[in-house]
Amino acid sequence: MNCSVSELKELLGQYEHILLTAHVNPDGDAVGALAATGEMLRAWGKQALIVLDDDVDDKFEFLPGIRTVYKPDDVKTDASWLTLILDATGVDRIGKTAELIHGPLVNIDHHISNAHFADAEYIRPDYAATGEVLTDLFTQWGCAITPSMANALYLAIATDCGFFKFSNTTGHTLRMAALLVEAGAQPNVISEHLEAQSLVKLQALSEVLKHIDLYGDGKVAGITFTPDILQYTGEHTGGYIDYARTVKGVDVAFTVKYISAEETRVSLRSKATDVNAIAAVFGGGGHIRAAGCTIKAPLAEAKTMLIKEILKAL
Ligand code: AMP
Ligand code: MN
Ligand code: MN
């Protein structure tokens, strides 16, 4: 059921215990949305616990609101707990945290592929980030946005729209960002934290760049994260796809990453082609120009299947 802005506030107001979660492999939007919402709900006097079935990338740790994150096994809930899922399209995207849902389920999201699964939802595919949805909601609810909430929400918005460069950046996105800067967000501090990396990680980039391959007359660029390459990069490989996307003439960029002998993780980005539709072929989704899926097949086989679908879609 789609809620109005005021219905959503009223519903959250009725519950004392709130379990907050977001998608596995949490990106800046997921982490920033959780940090800000946790702080906002605590200001309302709620017990709000952030639970993630994954580790948070070190680069987000400067956000005070993300320092206390629980793993699903560390938390017990019952029917008196409301679960609020942020930045995720379905219960299948939150891993083991799904086992903690015993009470009402609420979803705030911006993915076009949202499965409309919650008891109450507020979904805005016209917004670039869940952080943009929340900034709008908090403002309409009359909640004070503290400097730490502003930083978290700015980070959420900026990371999902490529720091205001992607096609999902609208006037509204920029207005919400401006409002956050006025509330104390520090764009320079956020960029410094996100860009800072160890020399080892920076040098891993040169190894990854050597492995960008072109397909489809140069319209497709892909990076294959074999176990060997993952030794250089570590598990957090989210940012590399943007290098493949910037190759001149490329429309669709992809990464395929070894998870196990039977499982391959896929990320897709594009300038024109609908990559949400490509991800959907494999049971995934996301947005028109940024999507993902997991293919139950070994790396090489998954890559062949994926390239076939991309070339069909071009
Ligand atoms: P990623 O490539 O993992 O950064 O994902 C790109 C976008 O697609 C993000 O907004 C993700 O939340 C979304 N996404 C990734 N995988 C899936 C999936 N299996 N189902 C739905 N949305 C996804
Ligand atoms: Mn996300
Ligand atoms: Mn998002």
Side-chain angles (χ1 to χ4, degrees):
M1 185 194 80
N2 215 345
C3 278
S4 70
V5 171
S6 56
E7 284 165 349
L8 192 58
K9 183 182 186 195
E10 201 176 309
L11 178 63
L12 295 176
Q14 287 166 10
Y15 287 81
E16 211 159 295
H17 307 295
I18 298 184
L19 177 77
L20 275 176
T21 193
H23 62 80
V24 287
N25 190 17
D27 53 13
D29 191 24
V31 167
L34 287 171
T37 308
E39 188 178 333
M40 197 276 298
L41 292 171
R42 280 179 218 113
W44 278 0
K46 315 272 175 205
Q47 184 192 8
L49 292 188
I50 299 176
V51 179
L52 277 173
D53 188 13
D54 236 330
D55 295 327
V56 173
D57 195 326
D58 304 345
K59 67 184 178 202
F60 300 128
E61 271 174 7
F62 73 99
L63 293 177
I66 208 70
R67 287 199 189 125
T68 311
V69 174
Y70 296 90
K71 286 275 164 70
D73 284 343
D74 301 334
V75 176
K76 288 240 174 318
T77 53
D78 57 37
S80 70
W81 284 73
L82 178 145
T83 303
L84 174 53
I85 301 183
L86 299 173
D87 197 41
T89 50
V91 169
D92 59 325
R93 291 278 293 144
I94 63 170
K96 242 183 125 183
T97 311
E99 293 169 16
L100 296 171
I101 303 170
H102 300 297
L105 185 56
V106 182
N107 182 213
I108 299 176
D109 186 32
H110 70 122
H111 290 95
I112 196 156
S113 65
N114 191 284
H116 305 290
F117 59 95
D119 302 313
E121 65 176 25
Y122 189 76
I123 317 290
R124 296 297 302 253
D126 51 330
Y127 285 1
T130 300
E132 183 178 342
V133 184
L134 291 169
T135 307
D136 197 15
L137 284 173
F138 294 175
T139 307
Q140 293 195 56
W141 289 344
C143 302
I145 297 183
T146 64
S148 53
M149 285 165 70
N151 256 346
L153 291 168
Y154 184 97
L155 180 148
I157 295 175
T159 50
D160 254 22
C161 66
F163 282 80
F164 311 101
K165 285 184 293 193
F166 296 160
S167 60
N168 57 0
T169 308
T170 64
H172 186 269
T173 316
L174 293 164
R175 276 198 295 283
M176 293 300 104
L179 193 150
L180 294 169
V181 173
E182 282 159 6
Q186 302 156 291
N188 62 317
V189 173
I190 293 164
S191 300
E192 279 159 27
H193 279 285
L194 295 187
E195 284 164 12
Q197 54 188 326
S198 66
L199 185 57
V200 172
K201 187 102 202 221
L202 185 62
Q203 287 169 340
L205 177 60
S206 67
E207 207 49 48
V208 174
L209 296 180
K210 283 186 220 155
H211 290 83
I212 297 181
D213 296 311
L214 296 180
Y215 311 86
D217 291 330
K219 292 197 189 76
V220 180
I223 305 173
T224 307
F225 289 101
T226 59
D228 280 354
I229 301 289
L230 287 170
Q231 282 192 346
Y232 288 99
T233 60
E235 279 310 303
H236 296 290
T237 53
Y240 294 115
I241 194 166
D242 291 326
Y243 292 98
R245 197 178 153 275
T246 55
V247 177
K248 207 168 178 179
V250 165
D251 173 9
V252 177
F254 73 84
T255 60
V256 282
K257 175 173 162 183
Y258 173 91
I259 302 292
S260 71
E262 303 92 50
E263 212 173 55
T264 302
R265 175 73 206 162
V266 173
S267 282
L268 289 155
R269 302 289 183 270
S270 80
K271 293 185 191 125
T273 297
D274 180 353
V275 289
N276 175 55
I278 298 172
V281 172
F282 303 102
H287 311 281
I288 305 290
R289 294 194 172 86
C293 58
T294 300
I295 301 182
K296 292 249 179 274
L299 188 63
E301 203 178 302
K303 185 172 153 184
T304 306
M305 288 155 71
L306 176 70
I307 292 171
K308 200 171 138 210
E309 289 302 326
I310 296 173
L311 296 180
K312 253 203 270 174
L314 282 181

